[in-house]
Amino acid sequence: MSRDERCGPMDLLMGTPLGASSEKGNPRIYVRGDTTGLGGGATGFRRDGALPTSAIDTGFRQGANELWSVPDDDTFVFIRYPDEGRVEAWPRDPSPIGCL
């Protein structure tokens, strides 16, 4: 899932547990940015973050990029860009916004 560029930051929709269909309930939305200025609830995006020591590689990939998460903590997901040598921390948006 991704929003129209004019509606806010890029986002990632996933089911609970990770890998489950988001259509079966309890979806989680993570965003590549903060959404409070748009009426959402996501804060804390970090472009040059670090993987927490408790983070695990989920095995999900988009090209070379890797999705990491911390077990029992869904506050953030982490996108590792191995080709660039950096990690982004994407916050969960507990009150996602939509476009009208």
Side-chain angles (χ1 to χ4, degrees), residues 1-74:
M1 170 184 170
S2 65
R3 303 173 211 231
D4 182 296
E5 295 176 5
R6 298 164 296 183
C7 294
M10 289 176 45
D11 55 17
L12 171 65
L13 174 70
M14 62 181 67
T16 302
L18 184 64
S21 170
S22 62
E23 295 177 3
K24 297 196 182 207
N26 203 17
R28 293 177 282 168
I29 297 177
Y30 294 90
V31 294
R32 188 180 192 221
D34 294 344
T35 62
T36 54
L38 301 168
T43 61
F45 169 76
R46 295 183 305 275
R47 179 171 165 71
D48 292 310
L51 283 174
T53 56
S54 57
I56 60 166
D57 183 350
T58 66
F60 288 96
R61 302 284 187 273
Q62 185 174 44
N65 304 334
E66 307 166 352
L67 178 65
W68 289 65
S69 67
V70 174
D72 301 320
D73 182 357
D74 66 355

Side-chain angles (χ1 to χ4, degrees), residues 81-97:
Y81 299 89
D83 295 344
E84 299 175 29
R86 65 183 185 87
V87 172
E88 289 182 350
W90 291 28
R92 181 174 182 189
D93 196 339
S95 53
I97 59 169

